[in-house]
Amino acid sequence: MQHVAIFDTTLRDGEQAPGFSMNVKDKLLLARQLERLNVDVIEAGFPVASDGDFEAVRKIAEEIREVSVTGLARTNPGDIRRCWEALQGAAKPRIHTFLATSDIHLEHKLRVSRAEALDMAAAAVELARSLCDDVQFSAEDAGRSDREYLYRVVAAVIEAGATVINLPDTVGYCMPDEYGAMFAGLADVEGIEGVTVSTHTHDDLGLAVANSLAGVLNGARQIECAVNGIGERAGNAALEEVVMALHVRSGLLGFRTGVNTREIHRASQLLASVTGTDVQPNKAIVGRNAFAHEAGIHQDGVLKYAGTYEIMTPESVGVPSNRLVLGKHSGRHGLAARYRELGYELGEEDLARAYMLFTKLADRKGTVYDEDLLTIVNVGLPSVPRTYALKHFHLVGQADAVCAVTIGLEKEGVVYTESATGDGPVDAIVRAVNQIVGTNGRVLEYAAKSVTQGSDAVGEVFVKVDFGGRQAAGRAASTDLNIGAALSYVDAINRATWLASGDGVAVDPHAAVSDRDPGVVAGRQRAT
Ligand code: KIV
Ligand code: ZN
């Protein structure tokens, strides 16, 4: 097995993409996760671009000790010196300098001749090498560069002291054979055996990962990539995809990386939460559906032997457990298994009833998620006794700051009142209600959405709560989302109390609830 280094550019090329900009704190959080992931190089930013980027590179260079840290610099001395300044504290610093080599860039962007560009590249590498032992040169738009000229530039920068040569397909234009051939052609360049050769691919034609692998098969031993495939335009090669392709097909390809694959899911989730941009559900490796099996025949197979439909385990990339997504093609087996995972062991009769409700729901909405299943066993049960009812609600504070709430719950004619503070309204509400009821309920999921239109819209709040291993869902609707949150949490408590008493019988949850109980929306109390 030969080692392929993983050069992560999430914090540089990735961060350049619209909607993905990160502040210093965000970048540090991600850099720590990239260190846990055990990538080989972290490209932390472009120090000359802004003071923030300089600071991010400086802080990451100071803190991250196990992984090489690099910053990007154009070929001018100012960029290179600024980059080196930012990298001062690094345990393993690398200066990454780049210059375009394609005629289209030289003529229209840089307005320099080929000879001038070659000299600029060599001079930049020489300066960088006088400062730092590890210097990477990238020939921007190598994919569209004249090969003979490209190889002359590569030879010149190697002579000037480059330790890593990167040939980017900057505009995602190359076909895998073509990109691979460019690397194969490096074999005749003088000094190439003494440097590491790298890929850097963009996904404009959806070929970034295929091109990275083609590069490796033709001599590259470093892949530049980004978590969740973020990057300029359509993005860079996705780290999780190149790593898992090399890992899963190591028998065929013969390469390994040092990446701790079990940290992949966490890295992906962290990036999504820091940038506020979710991963598309069908994204390879890290999408919500990447390990989801819907068709009954698939579910049956996976339950019998995961290898029937899984080429890698969810656990191998850090996804907590297999997720069966249920839809109209799913069978009873899959349904029972999912309920088991949610903490419900349904008997024959309950399963039959739940299955009947589930097929109706699946027909109507396609995919049935966990919260729907909880609704079937929870909301689908006849009038859950209202052990607790919300009587008083008073909240002080901002939505995103410390909040104080006073809540009064009535039980058997007596109103119990408690106050609590929390990080935001939901946290404060949960604490106050838990104090009254004497439980340690923990909100696993919280979702609020508008169900009517206009400024007086009614919002529906859904919570999924864990009560020491058993889950219960709660729903409520209100024009005030904070009251909605309190009502839905109390609803979950009432359900959990009732389920624990063991007298639940499922009924059709889709019967219009408001028909059964005026003043009730979406199955629960209405407060306006
Ligand atoms: O796409 C590209 O060419 C780059 C270089 C700066 C490495 O991002
Ligand atoms: Zn790029």
Side-chain angles (χ1 to χ4, degrees), residues 12-13 200 202 236:
R12 199 278 297 168
D13 207 321
H200 178 108
H202 281 268
N236 285 95

Side-chain angles (χ1 to χ4, degrees), residues 426-457:
V426 178
D427 190 38
I429 288 164
V430 168
R431 286 167 194 264
V433 173
N434 280 352
Q435 281 168 31
I436 296 172
V437 176
T439 181
N440 61 352
R442 198 167 52 89
V443 174
L444 300 174
E445 276 176 38
Y446 166 86
K449 66 172 190 226
S450 169
V451 289
T452 59
Q453 291 175 354
S455 58
D456 60 347

Side-chain angles (χ1 to χ4, degrees), residues 48-67:
V48 84
S50 69
D51 289 346
D53 239 23
F54 177 89
E55 206 42 30
V57 177
R58 194 183 68 75
K59 284 228 161 81
I60 291 169
E62 262 176 9
E63 187 180 315
I64 302 294
R65 309 316 289 168
E66 299 304 322
V67 174

Side-chain angles (χ1 to χ4, degrees), residues 2 23 60 78 87 245 308 311 332 367 376 405 431 448 465 497 522:
Q2 294 194 45
N23 60 32
I60 291 169
L87 291 170
T308 49
I311 59 168
R332 221 172 264 241
T367 301
I376 286 174
V405 71
R431 286 167 194 264
V465 186
T497 311

Side-chain angles (χ1 to χ4, degrees), residues 12-13 96 98 138 140 166 168 170 200 202:
R12 199 278 297 168
D13 207 321
H96 177 193
F98 75 102
S138 290
E140 191 188 14
N166 178 33
T170 302
H200 178 108
H202 281 268

Side-chain angles (χ1 to χ4, degrees), residues 108-122:
H108 300 284
K109 185 182 81 176
L110 299 174
R111 303 213 166 102
V112 295
S113 67
R114 283 186 176 186
E116 283 169 318
L118 188 143
D119 288 346
M120 284 161 70

Side-chain angles (χ1 to χ4, degrees), residues 9 12-14 16 43 140 166 168-171 200-202 224 231-233 235-236:
T9 188
R12 199 278 297 168
D13 207 321
Q16 277 170 221
E43 186 166 45
E140 191 188 14
N166 178 33
D169 179 18
T170 302
V171 291
H200 178 108
T201 54
H202 281 268
E224 300 199 3
E232 282 282 2
R233 305 179 311 281
N236 285 95

Side-chain angles (χ1 to χ4, degrees), residues 227-239:
V227 176
N228 295 345
I230 69 169
E232 282 282 2
R233 305 179 311 281
N236 285 95
L239 178 146

